[in-house]
Amino acid sequence: MTDGSQNILIVEDDQPTRDLISRYLRDHQFSVDAVANGKEMDRYLSKDRVDLIVLDLMLPGEDGLSLCRRLRTDSTTPIIILTAKGEDLDRILGLEMGADDYLAKPFNPRELLARINAVLRRRSSGLAAGSAAARLRFQGWTIDLRLRELRDPQGAQVPLTSAEFDLLQAFCERAGRVLTRDNLLSMTRGRPGASFGRSIDVLVSRLRRKLDRTEGTSVIKTVRIGGYVFTPVVEEA
């Protein structure tokens, strides 16, 4: 790993694809390591820091969906999944398991680079100094925009993926307003469209599972026009 550069781990069993991605990202000033399966990934992560993982879903042995689910049990490291073209179910399952973004094969390396930069930029933006409101509070919950942390009313930290945090921040900063899927996409990922809109539905479902503590009620209300509204009153903490 090179000093001062962000470290990307590629988990991809196809060597030509692995080599292509590695060369391209290194040419754009990233430190890159690549492995072929989940066992090699585990060995690498046990000894090295990673800023982002590019994870292919079709892997020998333990598949990418299982690896993504396992990674999310104790890590918030951003994950971009690679899926077969047109495999919407795999994409949706990957997002449900906690992936931050996805890219369908075959893909242009420039698009993967753009996705990586966008995810890393969203993750680091919360650490920037000078935010007008560093912390927000709703119904006893606290969201720290600089540390990108969410704490429940008892003070315990609730793990959020980068994509989940971005969505929650968008809701908190616009509480009480109806936001369409395209609104939310432009605020978080910047790629409106029908297929991407379904990924917002997946993220909303994940947030609801983490935020809703009373059965039958939700802090995120579905609106018939195809959007959502964050119902709590949000205040600066």
mmCIF file of all heavy atoms in Angstrom, residues 76-108:
data_model
loop_
_atom_site.group_PDB
_atom_site.id
_atom_site.type_symbol
_atom_site.label_atom_id
_atom_site.label_comp_id
_atom_site.label_asym_id
_atom_site.label_seq_id
_atom_site.Cartn_x
_atom_site.Cartn_y
_atom_site.Cartn_z
ATOM 1 N N THR A 76 -17.977 -0.955 8.188
ATOM 2 C CA THR A 76 -18.705 -0.004 7.355
ATOM 3 C C THR A 76 -17.883 0.408 6.142
ATOM 4 O O THR A 76 -18.190 1.395 5.484
ATOM 5 C CB THR A 76 -19.083 1.250 8.166
ATOM 6 O OG1 THR A 76 -17.883 1.868 8.676
ATOM 7 C CG2 THR A 76 -20.004 0.900 9.320
ATOM 8 N N THR A 77 -16.821 -0.339 5.838
ATOM 9 C CA THR A 77 -16.003 -0.053 4.660
ATOM 10 C C THR A 77 -16.896 -0.038 3.416
ATOM 11 O O THR A 77 -17.664 -0.979 3.197
ATOM 12 C CB THR A 77 -14.911 -1.119 4.484
ATOM 13 O OG1 THR A 77 -14.069 -1.127 5.635
ATOM 14 C CG2 THR A 77 -14.057 -0.834 3.250
ATOM 15 N N PRO A 78 -16.822 1.009 2.590
ATOM 16 C CA PRO A 78 -17.671 1.055 1.393
ATOM 17 C C PRO A 78 -17.441 -0.156 0.479
ATOM 18 O O PRO A 78 -16.301 -0.606 0.312
ATOM 19 C CB PRO A 78 -17.232 2.351 0.706
ATOM 20 C CG PRO A 78 -16.670 3.194 1.795
ATOM 21 C CD PRO A 78 -16.020 2.234 2.749
ATOM 22 N N ILE A 79 -18.527 -0.639 -0.097
ATOM 23 C CA ILE A 79 -18.472 -1.795 -1.011
ATOM 24 C C ILE A 79 -19.199 -1.429 -2.300
ATOM 25 O O ILE A 79 -20.344 -0.981 -2.268
ATOM 26 C CB ILE A 79 -19.145 -3.036 -0.396
ATOM 27 C CG1 ILE A 79 -18.437 -3.450 0.901
ATOM 28 C CG2 ILE A 79 -19.156 -4.197 -1.391
ATOM 29 C CD1 ILE A 79 -19.190 -4.523 1.678
ATOM 30 N N ILE A 80 -18.526 -1.629 -3.431
ATOM 31 C CA ILE A 80 -19.170 -1.527 -4.750
ATOM 32 C C ILE A 80 -19.204 -2.926 -5.330
ATOM 33 O O ILE A 80 -18.170 -3.576 -5.468
ATOM 34 C CB ILE A 80 -18.404 -0.572 -5.681
ATOM 35 C CG1 ILE A 80 -18.438 0.855 -5.127
ATOM 36 C CG2 ILE A 80 -19.003 -0.612 -7.090
ATOM 37 C CD1 ILE A 80 -17.684 1.871 -5.983
ATOM 38 N N ILE A 81 -20.400 -3.421 -5.647
ATOM 39 C CA ILE A 81 -20.529 -4.772 -6.173
ATOM 40 C C ILE A 81 -20.556 -4.746 -7.699
ATOM 41 O O ILE A 81 -21.049 -3.807 -8.314
ATOM 42 C CB ILE A 81 -21.776 -5.482 -5.620
ATOM 43 C CG1 ILE A 81 -23.049 -4.676 -5.905
ATOM 44 C CG2 ILE A 81 -21.637 -5.760 -4.131
ATOM 45 C CD1 ILE A 81 -24.331 -5.407 -5.522
ATOM 46 N N LEU A 82 -20.012 -5.799 -8.288
ATOM 47 C CA LEU A 82 -20.045 -6.003 -9.726
ATOM 48 C C LEU A 82 -21.018 -7.133 -10.012
ATOM 49 O O LEU A 82 -20.891 -8.225 -9.440
ATOM 50 C CB LEU A 82 -18.652 -6.363 -10.256
ATOM 51 C CG LEU A 82 -17.525 -5.371 -9.950
ATOM 52 C CD1 LEU A 82 -16.201 -5.876 -10.528
ATOM 53 C CD2 LEU A 82 -17.847 -3.984 -10.505
ATOM 54 N N THR A 83 -22.000 -6.871 -10.874
ATOM 55 C CA THR A 83 -23.026 -7.869 -11.163
ATOM 56 C C THR A 83 -23.046 -8.173 -12.659
ATOM 57 O O THR A 83 -22.570 -7.385 -13.474
ATOM 58 C CB THR A 83 -24.428 -7.372 -10.749
ATOM 59 O OG1 THR A 83 -24.837 -6.310 -11.634
ATOM 60 C CG2 THR A 83 -24.428 -6.847 -9.330
ATOM 61 N N ALA A 84 -23.619 -9.343 -12.995
ATOM 62 C CA ALA A 84 -23.822 -9.672 -14.398
ATOM 63 C C ALA A 84 -24.865 -8.732 -14.984
ATOM 64 O O ALA A 84 -25.796 -8.304 -14.295
ATOM 65 C CB ALA A 84 -24.276 -11.121 -14.541
ATOM 66 N N LYS A 85 -24.697 -8.381 -16.249
ATOM 67 C CA LYS A 85 -25.606 -7.430 -16.884
ATOM 68 C C LYS A 85 -27.043 -7.933 -16.822
ATOM 69 O O LYS A 85 -27.340 -9.067 -17.158
ATOM 70 C CB LYS A 85 -25.203 -7.208 -18.338
ATOM 71 C CG LYS A 85 -26.011 -6.111 -19.028
ATOM 72 C CD LYS A 85 -25.489 -5.827 -20.419
ATOM 73 C CE LYS A 85 -26.258 -4.684 -21.061
ATOM 74 N NZ LYS A 85 -25.758 -4.385 -22.420
ATOM 75 N N GLY A 86 -27.944 -7.065 -16.353
ATOM 76 C CA GLY A 86 -29.367 -7.395 -16.327
ATOM 77 C C GLY A 86 -29.813 -8.192 -15.116
ATOM 78 O O GLY A 86 -30.985 -8.520 -14.999
ATOM 79 N N GLU A 87 -28.876 -8.540 -14.209
ATOM 80 C CA GLU A 87 -29.261 -9.327 -13.032
ATOM 81 C C GLU A 87 -29.783 -8.398 -11.929
ATOM 82 O O GLU A 87 -29.108 -8.118 -10.944
ATOM 83 C CB GLU A 87 -28.060 -10.152 -12.536
ATOM 84 C CG GLU A 87 -27.619 -11.239 -13.500
ATOM 85 C CD GLU A 87 -28.685 -12.321 -13.673
ATOM 86 O OE1 GLU A 87 -29.483 -12.528 -12.742
ATOM 87 O OE2 GLU A 87 -28.720 -12.938 -14.752
ATOM 88 N N ASP A 88 -31.023 -7.923 -12.117
ATOM 89 C CA ASP A 88 -31.600 -6.979 -11.161
ATOM 90 C C ASP A 88 -31.726 -7.574 -9.763
ATOM 91 O O ASP A 88 -31.522 -6.886 -8.763
ATOM 92 C CB ASP A 88 -32.978 -6.518 -11.633
ATOM 93 C CG ASP A 88 -32.890 -5.507 -12.766
ATOM 94 O OD1 ASP A 88 -31.776 -5.028 -13.017
ATOM 95 O OD2 ASP A 88 -33.926 -5.210 -13.379
ATOM 96 N N LEU A 89 -32.059 -8.864 -9.683
ATOM 97 C CA LEU A 89 -32.239 -9.485 -8.374
ATOM 98 C C LEU A 89 -30.930 -9.469 -7.591
ATOM 99 O O LEU A 89 -30.918 -9.144 -6.402
ATOM 100 C CB LEU A 89 -32.741 -10.921 -8.529
ATOM 101 C CG LEU A 89 -32.956 -11.688 -7.215
ATOM 102 C CD1 LEU A 89 -33.961 -10.970 -6.326
ATOM 103 C CD2 LEU A 89 -33.405 -13.116 -7.503
ATOM 104 N N ASP A 90 -29.823 -9.812 -8.256
ATOM 105 C CA ASP A 90 -28.529 -9.790 -7.580
ATOM 106 C C ASP A 90 -28.189 -8.381 -7.120
ATOM 107 O O ASP A 90 -27.652 -8.183 -6.023
ATOM 108 C CB ASP A 90 -27.424 -10.300 -8.515
ATOM 109 C CG ASP A 90 -27.438 -11.808 -8.644
ATOM 110 O OD1 ASP A 90 -28.123 -12.461 -7.843
ATOM 111 O OD2 ASP A 90 -26.761 -12.330 -9.547
ATOM 112 N N ARG A 91 -28.484 -7.401 -7.950
ATOM 113 C CA ARG A 91 -28.195 -6.011 -7.583
ATOM 114 C C ARG A 91 -28.985 -5.610 -6.345
ATOM 115 O O ARG A 91 -28.433 -5.037 -5.394
ATOM 116 C CB ARG A 91 -28.554 -5.078 -8.752
ATOM 117 C CG ARG A 91 -28.512 -3.610 -8.394
ATOM 118 C CD ARG A 91 -28.868 -2.758 -9.578
ATOM 119 N NE ARG A 91 -30.189 -3.029 -10.096
ATOM 120 C CZ ARG A 91 -31.315 -2.572 -9.572
ATOM 121 N NH1 ARG A 91 -31.279 -1.819 -8.494
ATOM 122 N NH2 ARG A 91 -32.480 -2.860 -10.104
ATOM 123 N N ILE A 92 -30.281 -5.920 -6.346
ATOM 124 C CA ILE A 92 -31.126 -5.551 -5.212
ATOM 125 C C ILE A 92 -30.692 -6.298 -3.958
ATOM 126 O O ILE A 92 -30.600 -5.719 -2.871
ATOM 127 C CB ILE A 92 -32.601 -5.835 -5.536
ATOM 128 C CG1 ILE A 92 -33.083 -4.866 -6.627
ATOM 129 C CG2 ILE A 92 -33.472 -5.709 -4.295
ATOM 130 C CD1 ILE A 92 -34.441 -5.197 -7.192
ATOM 131 N N LEU A 93 -30.383 -7.587 -4.089
ATOM 132 C CA LEU A 93 -29.921 -8.349 -2.935
ATOM 133 C C LEU A 93 -28.604 -7.782 -2.405
ATOM 134 O O LEU A 93 -28.399 -7.693 -1.191
ATOM 135 C CB LEU A 93 -29.742 -9.821 -3.311
ATOM 136 C CG LEU A 93 -31.027 -10.628 -3.490
ATOM 137 C CD1 LEU A 93 -30.707 -12.018 -4.011
ATOM 138 C CD2 LEU A 93 -31.788 -10.721 -2.172
ATOM 139 N N GLY A 94 -27.721 -7.386 -3.306
ATOM 140 C CA GLY A 94 -26.461 -6.796 -2.881
ATOM 141 C C GLY A 94 -26.661 -5.529 -2.085
ATOM 142 O O GLY A 94 -26.020 -5.307 -1.056
ATOM 143 N N LEU A 95 -27.581 -4.682 -2.527
ATOM 144 C CA LEU A 95 -27.892 -3.457 -1.786
ATOM 145 C C LEU A 95 -28.520 -3.791 -0.441
ATOM 146 O O LEU A 95 -28.249 -3.135 0.568
ATOM 147 C CB LEU A 95 -28.818 -2.572 -2.613
ATOM 148 C CG LEU A 95 -28.195 -1.965 -3.879
ATOM 149 C CD1 LEU A 95 -29.267 -1.307 -4.735
ATOM 150 C CD2 LEU A 95 -27.099 -0.975 -3.534
ATOM 151 N N GLU A 96 -29.380 -4.803 -0.415
ATOM 152 C CA GLU A 96 -29.984 -5.204 0.854
ATOM 153 C C GLU A 96 -28.942 -5.725 1.833
ATOM 154 O O GLU A 96 -29.080 -5.562 3.045
ATOM 155 C CB GLU A 96 -31.058 -6.266 0.617
ATOM 156 C CG GLU A 96 -32.323 -5.726 -0.038
ATOM 157 C CD GLU A 96 -33.355 -6.797 -0.290
ATOM 158 O OE1 GLU A 96 -32.966 -7.989 -0.368
ATOM 159 O OE2 GLU A 96 -34.537 -6.468 -0.417
ATOM 160 N N MET A 97 -27.887 -6.352 1.315
ATOM 161 C CA MET A 97 -26.829 -6.869 2.175
ATOM 162 C C MET A 97 -25.910 -5.760 2.683
ATOM 163 O O MET A 97 -25.057 -6.004 3.532
ATOM 164 C CB MET A 97 -25.988 -7.921 1.426
ATOM 165 C CG MET A 97 -26.740 -9.142 0.995
ATOM 166 S SD MET A 97 -27.573 -9.980 2.345
ATOM 167 C CE MET A 97 -28.489 -11.221 1.439
ATOM 168 N N GLY A 98 -26.051 -4.548 2.122
ATOM 169 C CA GLY A 98 -25.261 -3.441 2.637
ATOM 170 C C GLY A 98 -24.282 -2.823 1.664
ATOM 171 O O GLY A 98 -23.474 -1.976 2.058
ATOM 172 N N ALA A 99 -24.322 -3.214 0.389
ATOM 173 C CA ALA A 99 -23.427 -2.584 -0.591
ATOM 174 C C ALA A 99 -23.798 -1.111 -0.760
ATOM 175 O O ALA A 99 -24.950 -0.721 -0.595
ATOM 176 C CB ALA A 99 -23.522 -3.308 -1.923
ATOM 177 N N ASP A 100 -22.803 -0.290 -1.101
ATOM 178 C CA ASP A 100 -23.025 1.148 -1.265
ATOM 179 C C ASP A 100 -23.376 1.518 -2.696
ATOM 180 O O ASP A 100 -24.010 2.539 -2.939
ATOM 181 C CB ASP A 100 -21.764 1.913 -0.849
ATOM 182 C CG ASP A 100 -21.497 1.755 0.637
ATOM 183 O OD1 ASP A 100 -22.067 2.525 1.417
ATOM 184 O OD2 ASP A 100 -20.730 0.854 1.011
ATOM 185 N N ASP A 101 -22.935 0.714 -3.655
ATOM 186 C CA ASP A 101 -23.237 1.000 -5.058
ATOM 187 C C ASP A 101 -22.994 -0.280 -5.840
ATOM 188 O O ASP A 101 -22.519 -1.286 -5.295
ATOM 189 C CB ASP A 101 -22.355 2.136 -5.580
ATOM 190 C CG ASP A 101 -22.986 2.873 -6.757
ATOM 191 O OD1 ASP A 101 -23.989 2.359 -7.318
ATOM 192 O OD2 ASP A 101 -22.504 3.954 -7.125
ATOM 193 N N TYR A 102 -23.324 -0.258 -7.125
ATOM 194 C CA TYR A 102 -23.131 -1.437 -7.955
ATOM 195 C C TYR A 102 -22.821 -1.009 -9.382
ATOM 196 O O TYR A 102 -23.085 0.131 -9.794
ATOM 197 C CB TYR A 102 -24.382 -2.318 -7.944
ATOM 198 C CG TYR A 102 -25.545 -1.691 -8.662
ATOM 199 C CD1 TYR A 102 -25.777 -1.930 -10.018
ATOM 200 C CD2 TYR A 102 -26.400 -0.816 -8.004
ATOM 201 C CE1 TYR A 102 -26.820 -1.320 -10.677
ATOM 202 C CE2 TYR A 102 -27.451 -0.207 -8.655
ATOM 203 C CZ TYR A 102 -27.653 -0.470 -9.993
ATOM 204 O OH TYR A 102 -28.682 0.145 -10.646
ATOM 205 N N LEU A 103 -22.264 -1.937 -10.137
ATOM 206 C CA LEU A 103 -21.954 -1.694 -11.541
ATOM 207 C C LEU A 103 -22.154 -3.007 -12.280
ATOM 208 O O LEU A 103 -21.693 -4.060 -11.828
ATOM 209 C CB LEU A 103 -20.514 -1.204 -11.690
ATOM 210 C CG LEU A 103 -20.093 -0.628 -13.044
ATOM 211 C CD1 LEU A 103 -20.969 0.569 -13.411
ATOM 212 C CD2 LEU A 103 -18.627 -0.206 -12.994
ATOM 213 N N ALA A 104 -22.870 -2.952 -13.411
ATOM 214 C CA ALA A 104 -23.144 -4.159 -14.185
ATOM 215 C C ALA A 104 -22.033 -4.399 -15.198
ATOM 216 O O ALA A 104 -21.534 -3.478 -15.832
ATOM 217 C CB ALA A 104 -24.491 -4.041 -14.892
ATOM 218 N N LYS A 105 -21.635 -5.653 -15.337
ATOM 219 C CA LYS A 105 -20.654 -6.042 -16.352
ATOM 220 C C LYS A 105 -21.358 -6.232 -17.695
ATOM 221 O O LYS A 105 -22.506 -6.679 -17.733
ATOM 222 C CB LYS A 105 -19.984 -7.360 -15.964
ATOM 223 C CG LYS A 105 -19.102 -7.296 -14.733
ATOM 224 C CD LYS A 105 -18.503 -8.680 -14.488
ATOM 225 C CE LYS A 105 -17.539 -8.684 -13.332
ATOM 226 N NZ LYS A 105 -16.945 -10.006 -13.106
ATOM 227 N N PRO A 106 -20.664 -5.975 -18.805
ATOM 228 C CA PRO A 106 -19.346 -5.337 -18.908
ATOM 229 C C PRO A 106 -19.460 -3.844 -18.617
ATOM 230 O O PRO A 106 -20.514 -3.250 -18.834
ATOM 231 C CB PRO A 106 -18.940 -5.598 -20.347
ATOM 232 C CG PRO A 106 -20.231 -5.699 -21.087
ATOM 233 C CD PRO A 106 -21.211 -6.319 -20.128
ATOM 234 N N PHE A 107 -18.380 -3.241 -18.141
ATOM 235 C CA PHE A 107 -18.427 -1.832 -17.770
ATOM 236 C C PHE A 107 -17.175 -1.122 -18.273
ATOM 237 O O PHE A 107 -16.153 -1.750 -18.579
ATOM 238 C CB PHE A 107 -18.548 -1.670 -16.253
ATOM 239 C CG PHE A 107 -17.443 -2.340 -15.485
ATOM 240 C CD1 PHE A 107 -16.237 -1.700 -15.272
ATOM 241 C CD2 PHE A 107 -17.614 -3.630 -14.989
ATOM 242 C CE1 PHE A 107 -15.218 -2.318 -14.573
ATOM 243 C CE2 PHE A 107 -16.601 -4.248 -14.289
ATOM 244 C CZ PHE A 107 -15.399 -3.590 -14.087
ATOM 245 N N ASN A 108 -17.289 0.182 -18.368
ATOM 246 C CA ASN A 108 -16.145 1.020 -18.728
ATOM 247 C C ASN A 108 -15.369 1.329 -17.447
ATOM 248 O O ASN A 108 -15.959 1.797 -16.479
ATOM 249 C CB ASN A 108 -16.653 2.316 -19.371
ATOM 250 C CG ASN A 108 -15.529 3.169 -19.930
ATOM 251 O OD1 ASN A 108 -14.476 3.305 -19.310
ATOM 252 N ND2 ASN A 108 -15.757 3.757 -21.094
#
